[in-house]
Amino acid sequence: MRYEIKGTPFPVAVCYLENGEQMITEGGGMSWMSPNMEMDTTTNGGIGKAIGRMFSHDKMFQNRYTCRGGNGMIAFASCFPGDIKAIEVNLGDEYICAKSSFLASTPGVDMSVFFRKKLGAGLFGGEGFIMQKFTGQGLLFIEIDGTPFEYELQAGEKMLIDTGHLVMMSASCKMDIQTVKGVKNVLFGGEGLFNTVLEGPGRVVLQSMPISNLAGTLAKYIPTSGGNGG
């Protein structure tokens, strides 16, 4: 299968399939396609996995698209200004992703629920208790809010990140929280009480503009409803 990622600020992953090749996306994820793409709605692993996807902010059912009778094309568009990143998942790889980052994949990629084990990290780390885990073998497309930044952390190497900026990390990375030090920093620094701490070894992908941050910024400029009563 060939693919290309095109367009800004709303990118699209355009996949070119040969006869019999398949792509998986959540319901409503397809943007356009050639007429020889056959759709089949499925739980893709049973009702247990379907419920797990619901808890990780994805739809319970997924759509499987199969190319029939020759070559075909299918496109998956981002729902937010930013980027789409293609991840080659190999046997033995485990990637942990933020909720709702999944866009599409080949059938060999398995998505399951990842539960944060540490109470503090789940409550205050900004990503919540439930994330998405991807294993298997194949091609995975994830959505990035804003611009992606990728790092390869060495064993013991740490990075502090603000809420919502984590998109993906290797399962070999550790995640915890750290309190912002200093009363003045907490009260006037504008960074909140906690930062997420990532520790290597492993691959980390960050995003420059989480949708939650953008929503908070825009909210300041939206007038509240109401007015003078008559």
Side-chain angles (χ1 to χ4, degrees):
M1 186 197 76
R2 295 185 300 108
Y3 72 88
E4 55 183 346
I5 298 173
K6 304 175 65 174
T8 55
F10 290 92
V12 179
V14 185
C15 302
Y16 302 97
L17 280 65
E18 297 181 3
N19 184 49
E21 289 188 318
Q22 297 178 327
M23 289 296 297
I24 302 288
T25 187
E26 67 173 5
M30 187 277 297
S31 298
W32 60 83
M33 63 183 183
S34 57
N36 62 327
M37 298 298 299
E38 180 180 283
M39 185 184 81
D40 177 43
T41 300
T42 173
T43 59
N44 197 21
I47 193 65
K49 284 200 172 182
I51 293 174
R53 286 192 294 269
M54 179 183 67
F55 282 115
S56 63
H57 288 196
D58 269 307
K59 295 181 180 178
M60 288 184 65
F61 293 92
Q62 294 185 323
N63 291 334
R64 184 190 306 269
Y65 291 91
T66 305
C67 185
R68 301 293 189 192
N71 296 337
M73 176 273 295
I74 186 168
F76 307 99
S78 172
C79 61
F80 185 79
D83 205 345
I84 295 172
K85 189 167 186 63
I87 308 292
E88 288 281 354
V89 181
N90 297 307
L91 290 176
D93 290 342
E94 290 187 41
Y95 292 113
I96 310 301
C97 292
K99 294 187 292 287
S100 303
S101 59
F102 173 74
L103 180 63
S105 73
T106 53
V109 176
D110 181 63
M111 181 174 78
S112 58
V113 176
F114 175 80
F115 293 96
R116 300 275 289 277
K117 296 179 181 179
K118 291 192 175 181
L119 179 64
L123 285 174
F124 307 113
E127 303 301 331
F129 286 105
I130 300 175
M131 301 176 73
Q132 298 173 340
K133 182 170 74 172
F134 295 94
T135 57
Q137 187 173 26
L139 187 63
L140 167 68
F141 294 98
I142 59 173
E143 293 190 66
I144 310 288
D145 298 346
T147 303
F149 292 85
E150 187 167 344
Y151 298 90
E152 192 70 36
L153 299 182
Q154 303 303 310
E157 184 180 3
K158 294 182 179 180
M159 176 178 287
L160 273 65
I161 64 173
D162 193 21
T163 298
H165 286 275
L166 175 65
V167 182
M168 188 195 82
M169 67 177 186
S170 302
S172 55
C173 291
K174 298 177 183 177
M175 184 187 300
D176 206 341
I177 60 166
Q178 178 175 301
T179 306
V180 174
K181 298 179 181 179
V183 175
K184 184 174 65 175
N185 294 337
V186 171
L187 292 178
F188 307 111
E191 299 295 340
L193 292 173
F194 302 97
N195 286 318
T196 297
V197 182
L198 300 180
E199 181 178 344
R203 181 181 183 184
V204 173
V205 179
L206 306 179
Q207 56 190 5
S208 65
M209 178 51 75
I211 190 170
S212 56
N213 289 14
L214 178 62
T217 301
L218 293 178
K220 302 174 184 177
Y221 303 97
I222 299 175
T224 57
S225 59
N228 295 327

